[in-house]
Amino acid sequence: MLRIAVPNKGSLAEPAADMLREAGYRQRHDPRVLVLVDPENDIEFFFLRPRDIAVYVGAGTVDAGITGRDLLLDSGADAVEHMPLGFGASTFRFAAPADRVRALADVAGRRVATSYPVLVGGYLRDRGIEAEVIRLDGAVESAVQLGVAEVVADVVSTGTTLRGAGLTVFGEPILESEAVLIRPRAQATVPPGLEVLARRLQGVLVARQYVLMDYDCPTALVEQAVAITPGLESPTVSPLHNPGWSAVRAMVRRDDTNRVMDALYDLGARAILVTSIHACRL
C-alpha cells in the first residue's frame, strides 16, 4: 500500500485535499483524522505538519508527500521534487528599510531574520555573502523594528505587510515556490502506485488548464480554423450532414477561451461550444 504524507493544516492543506479528491482519492471530512486508508486505490494518507513532511519522506517513512518547494529546500531532508502541482504559488524575497539596504551586496555583515534559515543561509553562501541568519517562527517583518535584525527574508505576495512595517523588497527573488509532490532521494525506482498518483495529478492539472471546444466550420476554412485551435496533438475533424461543413473538436487553454471563440467566429465558424474537462490522461 502506497503511503503518502499530506498537509494537515495551513494554506496548502485544502488545495491539496481538493486536488487529491479530483484525482479520485478519498479525503478526510474530520480535521482530527490523522490517518486515512483508501483501500480501493491501495493508498494510505498521513496528515502531517507541512514543515515536517519532507523529513518523513526523506527518511523513507512514507513513499511520497505534498509540501511546498520552500519547505522542502529548507528542511535539508534527503528528498527530491517529483512534480510541481500548480497551486500554493509564492515568492520568497529579501526586504529591509530602503535607506539602509538596497542591494544583495549590502546584506553582508548584517543580521537576517527568516523562518527559513537553511534556505536563506544556503542562498547567501552560494553568492559568497557572509551574514548572520536568525530563525524566527513567524511575523519576521517585525524583526527590524524590534532590533532583532536589519534585513528580513520572507514570502511576499502583495508586499503590503512589509511596506506597513517600513520595509522595501530588494534584489532578485530568492525562490519561486509552489506545492510539489516529493519522494525520497534514495528511491532507486519509482513505485508503480506513485506513478499512478502522479499521472492522476497531472490529469487534474491539465483538466484545470484546458477546456474542450467544439464548433462547426465551412470545410474550406478548416485549415485556418485548425491553426487557431491546434489542440494538444491534433484536433478531431468530422464531416457534417450538411455538405461543405465540418465539425471540429480541440483542447484549448481555459484562460484563452474567449479570444479563441472570437477568432473562430470572425473566421466563419458557428455553434461554438465549450465544455469543462473533469479528468483526463494524456
Side-chain angles (χ1 to χ4, degrees), residues 19 83-85 196-207 209 280-282:
M19 191 172 198
M83 65 177 286
L85 297 178
V196 172
L197 172 64
R199 194 159 55 242
R200 287 193 184 190
L201 294 177
Q202 184 61 42
V204 172
L205 287 173
V206 173
Q209 295 170 357
C280 68
R281 298 289 186 276
L282 300 179

Side-chain angles (χ1 to χ4, degrees), residues 68-90:
R69 182 179 292 128
D70 52 354
L71 295 174
L72 166 63
L73 296 177
D74 191 63
S75 71
D78 200 17
V80 295
E81 182 175 326
H82 189 69
M83 65 177 286
L85 297 178
F87 66 88
S90 62

Side-chain angles (χ1 to χ4, degrees), residues 218-235:
T219 302
L221 299 175
V222 164
E223 289 304 316
Q224 296 178 59
V226 165
I228 298 172
T229 59
L232 292 186
E233 299 288 345
S234 178

Side-chain angles (χ1 to χ4, degrees), residues 32-245:
R32 294 172 297 181
V33 172
L34 300 180
V35 180
L36 177 67
V37 178
D38 183 351
E40 291 185 3
N41 291 297
D42 198 31
I43 195 168
E44 189 173 15
F45 294 104
F46 295 84
F47 297 90
L48 306 172
R49 291 179 66 246
R51 187 170 282 276
D52 295 337
I53 288 175
V55 177
Y56 283 98
V57 173
T61 306
V62 293
D63 298 301
I66 294 176
T67 189
R69 182 179 292 128
D70 52 354
L71 295 174
L72 166 63
L73 296 177
D74 191 63
S75 71
D78 200 17
V80 295
E81 182 175 326
H82 189 69
M83 65 177 286
L85 297 178
F87 66 88
S90 62
T91 303
F92 203 68
R93 306 194 68 165
F94 288 110
D99 59 346
R100 301 182 207 170
V101 181
R102 297 185 179 182
L104 184 60
D106 298 334
V107 176
R110 298 182 184 269
R111 292 165 296 163
V112 182
T114 182
S115 298
Y116 300 80
V118 176
L119 174 60
V120 173
Y123 182 89
L124 293 173
R125 282 194 302 275
D126 290 345
R127 286 152 184 80
I129 297 174
E130 293 187 9
E132 180 184 357
V133 178
I134 300 170
R135 176 174 181 168
L136 298 177
D137 285 332
V140 298
E141 65 275 1
S142 301
V144 175
Q145 184 178 3
L146 295 174
V148 174
E150 298 149 287
V151 180
V152 302
D154 200 12
V155 173
V156 177
S157 50
T158 63
T160 302
T161 302
L162 291 174
R163 285 194 296 272
L167 306 177
T168 301
V169 169
F170 66 89
E172 295 296 320
I174 301 169
L175 177 71
E176 298 287 350
S177 184
E178 66 178 301
V180 292
L181 179 66
I182 65 174
R183 59 181 174 81
R185 187 188 305 274
Q187 205 171 54
T189 58
V190 178
L194 181 55
E195 286 288 12
V196 172
L197 172 64
R199 194 159 55 242
R200 287 193 184 190
L201 294 177
Q202 184 61 42
V204 172
L205 287 173
V206 173
R208 289 177 173 181
Q209 295 170 357
Y210 288 85
V211 295
L212 274 180
M213 187 171 291
D214 292 272
Y215 57 91
D216 298 341
C217 178
T219 302
L221 299 175
V222 164
E223 289 304 316
Q224 296 178 59
V226 165
I228 298 172
T229 59
L232 292 186
E233 299 288 345
S234 178
T236 300
V237 180
S238 306
L240 289 175
H241 181 69
N242 185 358
W245 282 77

